[in-house]
Amino acid sequence: MCMVNASAVDSKGASSQCAVQQVTILGATGTIGTQTLDVISQHPDRFKVFALTASTNVQSLFDLCVKHKPRYAVMLSSEAASALSDQLKKAGLATEVLQGEDALSDVASHQDVDVVMAAIVGAAGLHPAMAAARAGKRILLANKETLVMAGNLFMQAVIDGGATLLPIDSEHNAIFQVMPYQRTRVLVDIGVKRILLTASGGPFRNATIEQLSNVTRAQALNHPNWVMGPKITIDSATMMNKGLEVIEAHWLFNAASAQIEVVVHPQSVIHSMVEYNDGSVLAQLGNPDMRTPIAYGLGYPDRLASGVSSLDLLKIGRLDFCAPDQNMFPCLRLAYEALDAGGTAPAILNAANEVAVEAFLADQIGFMDIPALIESVLTASSIDAVTSIPQLVDVDANARRVARSWLKSLSRVN
Ligand code: NAD
Ligand code: MG
């Protein structure tokens, strides 16, 4: 087995001379999962797929198994697992099919696994990401909800488990690339003044409040720059995505909320910046294509080809910036407030947001009901210090209950 040098995140010196690395991809059928497989396919000499997981999409996971021949495939439900197993047997493939949430953690922490791509969407990604951290894996973290819900526990598990954590979210990957990563030190000690987290502004950057109230599902799912799964696409439209990313940056880079500034940059070419005390501002640029941060995480500290086309600055011509409007996008304000409130507040914010986005995608509520629901759940909930993962699971379930009763009361009114 190829051993990845643990705790290399701090030393920036992970071993790069490994033989073939075994990779588990959590959320393999999603946008990040499939792009990860795309990059891996370009480097058969460096990576082998150990396990692929998905919630319910049997056909997509079957197709990926045929192509990548993993040792394991995991599906959430037993029906989906047995359907996949039947199809694989008929096709003569040796992939073993596992089922259920525990199996996700098993393939994330298996002793033969070197690298785990954490690309499940939402709170469902927390347990397997924790399992990978405790088992000391190289974790490529796309699932930002893990850090939003359980930032302190997850970062501690990374340290205790001797894991290597590489951020895949494009902004955090950019920051990682331009800042010495020393999570045990405060930013001022390493000369960092502030983090400039760029945001595309989403499809409604120039809309009025009235227009926002009437936004349809199809309009909100039409992101101008990035191709992403439905939940994060809606999060981008409400700017909750940027709010979650502020909290993510807080935990990854030990940054106070006042040191994290959101800058709207519609072209999505600068993926984020770090300003130093001497006035230097370092930025990472590239086409908006997640295969760049994925390849960075897979190859680190080496640089791998990703298939991303060269940035054509002459064609782009100009880069624009403006401040976000927190009145238009209250989700951003709510996320900053949850971060400042601390404790379980971000986990409550995250759970309420997941319920709100689901309801919006099911045409049950309007676009501006999303922040209204989240604010109402936060106001109704008590905020406690975070003590354990089981406590956070309860907090998450409780916030979802409060959110669902808000939805019921709304449907009675309408
Ligand atoms: P997606 O909806 O395209 O895919 C989600 C994957 O998770 C699928 O494979 C699905 O089967 C699986 N899944 C969903 N619910 C599950 C559950 N309950 N249990 C187990 N598996 C489940 O999502 P995505 O766009 O690929 O995003 C994945 C994660 O990466 C999210 O946390 C998102 O915020 C983050 N991220 C995505 C992008 C992007 O460009 N897509 C960029 C930055 C960060
Ligand atoms: Mg991002």
Side-chain angles (χ1 to χ4, degrees):
M1 180 182 60
C2 166
M3 292 300 295
V4 172
N5 194 0
S7 74
V9 171
D10 281 331
S11 65
K12 280 223 167 195
S15 131
S16 60
Q17 306 306 320
C18 289
V20 175
Q21 300 200 1
Q22 299 277 344
V23 188
T24 282
I25 301 174
L26 303 166
T29 54
T31 322
I32 294 290
T34 48
Q35 290 179 95
T36 305
L37 286 165
D38 181 308
V39 178
I40 283 179
S41 316
Q42 297 172 50
H43 302 280
D45 52 326
R46 293 185 72 126
F47 305 106
K48 174 144 186 35
V49 177
F50 179 82
L52 297 175
T53 86
S55 56
T56 51
N57 194 334
V58 176
Q59 191 56 44
S60 296
L61 197 56
F62 171 75
D63 292 342
L64 294 178
C65 288
V66 170
K67 184 153 184 221
H68 300 282
K69 303 192 173 41
R71 196 189 311 174
Y72 295 105
V74 182
M75 302 235 58
L76 259 195
S77 73
S78 53
E79 302 79 53
S82 60
L84 178 65
S85 181
D86 289 348
Q87 283 201 43
L88 288 169
K89 273 183 201 138
K90 271 190 210 133
L93 283 170
T95 300
E96 187 178 334
V97 181
L98 307 174
Q99 177 258 314
E101 283 177 26
D102 289 348
L104 296 172
S105 295
D106 292 344
V107 295
S109 57
H110 193 287
Q111 60 172 358
D112 291 348
V113 170
D114 302 298
V115 182
V116 175
M117 165 54 83
I120 289 174
V121 61
L126 174 64
H127 287 296
M130 284 295 293
R134 290 184 184 123
K137 303 304 180 191
R138 169 182 285 218
I139 305 168
L140 312 191
L141 188 70
N143 176 257
K144 63 193 86 184
E145 294 90 347
T146 288
L147 279 171
V148 173
M149 287 181 76
N152 60 345
L153 300 178
F154 180 72
M155 293 307 282
Q156 196 56 51
V158 167
I159 294 167
D160 294 346
T164 302
L165 178 59
L166 292 155
I168 296 303
D169 215 346
S170 57
E171 297 77 3
H172 306 75
N173 188 269
I175 295 162
F176 184 86
Q177 291 194 40
V178 297
M179 187 165 81
Y181 190 87
Q182 306 193 20
R183 66 174 164 260
T184 50
R185 299 180 64 189
V186 282
L187 290 189
V188 282
D189 290 347
I190 51 172
V192 172
K193 201 166 177 185
R194 58 187 177 143
I195 286 173
L196 295 162
L197 204 61
T198 51
S200 70
F204 310 128
R205 190 168 43 89
N206 297 318
T208 62
I209 288 266
E210 293 69 42
Q211 286 168 332
L212 280 187
S213 306
N214 297 315
V215 153
T216 64
R217 182 180 183 274
Q219 288 168 326
L221 282 172
N222 189 20
H223 195 278
N225 304 343
W226 296 95
V227 179
M228 306 180 287
K231 192 260 180 184
I232 181 175
T233 305
I234 302 302
D235 284 348
S236 298
T238 62
M239 289 198 78
M240 177 55 93
N241 183 49
K242 213 44 57 182
L244 300 178
E245 290 182 359
V246 168
I247 301 172
E248 186 183 10
H250 162 75
W251 289 113
L252 282 171
F253 305 113
N254 204 7
S257 69
Q259 290 174 297
I260 309 167
E261 194 173 320
V262 173
V263 178
V264 175
H265 164 48
Q267 290 88 358
S268 296
V269 165
I270 295 182
H271 298 305
S272 275
M273 297 172 261
V274 174
E275 182 184 352
Y276 289 88
N277 287 335
D278 59 7
S280 294
V281 177
L282 301 192
Q284 185 259 352
L285 284 73
N287 283 322
D289 187 323
M290 289 305 292
R291 290 177 301 171
T292 295
I294 290 167
Y296 183 87
L298 283 168
Y300 177 82
D302 296 346
R303 296 278 182 168
L304 303 183
S306 64
V308 175
S309 55
S310 282
L311 182 65
D312 187 343
L313 281 173
L314 297 181
K315 196 168 162 201
I316 291 160
R318 55 184 279 177
L319 301 175
D320 295 302
F321 307 96
C322 65
D325 184 338
Q326 299 209 8
N327 291 326
M328 295 277 289
F329 299 100
C331 285
L332 186 56
R333 168 180 60 80
L334 291 170
Y336 268 108
E337 285 172 5
L339 175 58
D340 290 337
T344 52
I348 295 165
L349 171 99
N350 181 65
N353 180 53
E354 287 192 25
V355 174
V357 171
E358 255 174 55
F360 175 75
L361 285 171
D363 290 324
Q364 287 167 7
I365 59 173
F367 189 73
M368 291 310 280
D369 290 329
I370 297 175
L373 188 160
I374 298 164
E375 186 148 28
S376 156
V377 174
L378 277 165
T379 309
S381 308
S382 67
I383 313 293
D384 301 310
V386 171
T387 54
S388 69
I389 294 292
Q391 172 217 16
L392 285 174
V393 170
D394 284 350
V395 166
D396 176 87
N398 197 45
R400 283 168 202 265
R401 266 193 297 277
V402 178
R404 290 201 186 98
S405 63
W406 188 95
L407 288 175
K408 268 196 198 133
S409 64
L410 190 73
S411 61
R412 274 198 295 274
V413 173
N414 291 335

